[in-house]
Structures are given as structure tokens and as C-alpha cells.
Amino acid sequence: QQQILSSGRNRFSTIQMDYVTPLKGNGKIETGARVQLRSLENRQGNYFTNPLTGEPEQIPSASSNYTNKDNVYAAYVSMTSSIKNFGYQLGLRAESSDYTGELTDTKQRFSNKYPLSLFPSVFLSQKLKNDQELQLNYSRRVNRPFFMQLIPFIDSTDQLNWSRGNAGLKPEFTNSLEASYTKKFKGGHTLLGSVYYKNSTDLITRFMDTINIDGGVKRPLNTFVNANSSSAI
């Protein structure tokens, strides 16, 4: 009683360069750059069988043609070394990105552009007597929505659970801080205790919405939105 006819084309290109040079002792410096270019085209038609004619008929409100381009440009540098029982790794990544999408049937366009953002990371460790160690870590990261969360066509393969992407979805940014204590015992046993705090902004979140389809029928619809923020401890 239902047909979903879809086709598309994906093009992924990645250009990456990395350089590593050792330092005295066990240290090293790493640096590199990366360009990631993604282009997607998707065409999807949703058809239901007409009970009077027995022929499939397309449902325009549940069909879509969509194209999008997602580009990421990044560079990083990190240094790893140690001073006696104190070890450290310091890193910094710079990154910018842009995203454009278009519903080709309606010419409706979507875009998100992000200027240069910095993502520092710090990993510190201190070895103590009697096989004990303290660690302190901090990092800032980005989580981008994957393409199925972005493409705004309706997936009705499960008639009880329709879903649709959100082309206006933005990446989420997370700051993480963690401290831990490790103690090794005889026989290979280890005790680990840790405390952490994470804060995310523009958190990618599932959201229950409704949609009016042909004939004035209203249906529930699962999609994604950006929440204000989220914290965990």
C-alpha cells in the first residue's frame, strides 16, 4: 500500500596533511591541516495506493528533492612532553565551516556559516609514589549533525513513527573538564575514581512535532531542534 522511491548522489572529498617532529626525551610536536568537502543530492517520492483505482499516487507533502553542501576547514597543533613524573599534552585546533541546503521543488534555502572557532585541549598527569597517578583534562569539542538529521524529507517507512530532518540544525559545542585518581595494586587490580563536568550549547535534541498532510489529516512527527544548553556532572 506504500512505496518510497528515492535516489541520490554523494560526493565526499578530503585533503589532509600532518607533520610530526620528535623532541628530546619522549616528547613530540604535531601539526596539520584538513579540508573536508561534502555534497549530497537526494530525491524522494512517497506514494500510497488509491483504494479506488488500485494505483499508487504521490503524496506531495511527504515527498521532497533536496541538495546540500557541507564544508569544514581546520588546522591544529599539539605538543606532548614530560618533566620527570609530570606529563602534559597541549593542543589547539582552529576550525571554520559552512553549510547550505535547498529544497529544489520550492527553492527554499537553508544556510549556516561559522567563522573561525578555537578548540583548546589540555591533558595533565602527575605520577605519585606507590603506583598512584593524578590526571586533569580539559577540552572543547564540536558535534555536527549528520546528514539524516539535516535533510528535511519525511521518512514514513514506519507508519507509526514518521520522522524528518531539520535543515536549520546547528552544531553543538561542548566544554569538558575531568579530574581522576588512579591506584594500582598487586595482582593487576586498579582503583579509578573521577569527577567530571560537561556543558553543551545548542544541544541537538529530539523533538515531537505535528504535520498536516493531504486531506487535513494531522500526524505526529519526530524531528530535531537545538536546545539552549545542557550540563552534566
Side-chain angles (χ1 to χ4, degrees):
Q1 295 181 350
Q2 179 189 11
Q3 279 187 330
I4 296 178
L5 304 179
S6 62
S7 63
R9 179 174 62 180
N10 304 334
R11 291 181 177 178
F12 296 166
S13 301
T14 301
I15 303 171
Q16 183 170 339
M17 178 185 66
D18 299 284
Y19 173 77
V20 181
T21 183
L23 301 175
K24 291 183 179 180
N26 297 323
K28 63 180 178 178
I29 293 178
E30 300 177 70
T31 186
R34 177 186 176 97
V35 177
Q36 180 177 282
L37 309 175
R38 298 187 297 180
S39 176
L40 290 86
E41 298 178 10
N42 186 84
R43 294 171 292 280
Q44 176 165 298
N46 224 320
Y47 300 82
F48 285 91
T49 301
N50 187 318
L52 299 178
T53 65
E55 297 295 328
E57 293 184 359
Q58 186 174 5
I59 309 299
S61 60
S63 303
S64 66
N65 296 321
Y66 186 69
T67 62
N68 77 280
K69 294 182 179 181
D70 184 14
N71 304 322
V72 180
Y73 314 93
Y76 76 94
V77 60
S78 69
M79 178 179 179
T80 303
S81 188
S82 60
I83 303 174
K84 295 184 178 180
N85 291 328
F86 176 73
Y88 62 91
Q89 179 178 342
L90 308 176
L92 182 65
R93 190 174 84 256
E95 190 172 291
S96 67
S97 62
D98 58 77
Y99 166 83
T100 58
E102 179 182 338
L103 287 166
T104 55
D105 292 337
T106 62
K107 302 303 179 183
Q108 185 177 3
R109 296 184 177 182
F110 311 87
S111 65
N112 280 315
K113 293 186 179 181
Y114 288 88
L116 194 66
S117 297
L118 298 179
F119 300 91
S121 60
V122 179
F123 299 91
L124 308 176
S125 64
Q126 177 65 56
K127 293 182 179 180
L128 306 175
K129 295 180 180 180
N130 301 320
D131 290 325
Q132 301 178 91
E133 185 174 359
L134 296 175
Q135 292 185 346
L136 180 65
N137 306 327
Y138 165 77
S139 64
R140 182 174 188 251
R141 301 185 183 279
V142 59
N143 177 35
R144 291 185 177 79
F146 65 94
F147 72 98
M148 288 301 293
Q149 293 175 320
L150 290 169
I151 296 178
F153 69 73
I154 295 176
D155 181 1
S156 61
T157 50
D158 180 354
Q159 281 298 298
L160 300 178
N161 186 27
W162 283 22
S163 62
R164 179 176 62 186
N166 177 3
L169 206 58
K170 298 183 291 186
E172 63 181 45
F173 296 87
T174 300
N175 288 284
S176 301
L177 180 65
E178 180 176 6
S180 63
Y181 165 81
T182 304
K183 166 65 177 176
K184 294 182 179 179
F185 298 92
K186 295 180 179 180
H189 301 292
T190 302
L191 173 67
L192 170 64
S194 65
V195 60
Y196 71 91
Y197 173 75
K198 293 183 179 181
N199 178 263
S200 299
T201 57
D202 290 325
L203 186 72
I204 297 174
T205 308
R206 285 189 175 274
F207 182 75
M208 178 67 76
D209 202 354
T210 59
I211 183 175
N212 292 318
I213 61 176
D214 296 346
V217 179
K218 181 175 287 189
R219 297 203 53 153
L221 183 73
N222 286 302
T223 186
F224 300 90
V225 296
N226 288 109
N228 183 26
S229 63
S230 172
S231 296
I233 189 169

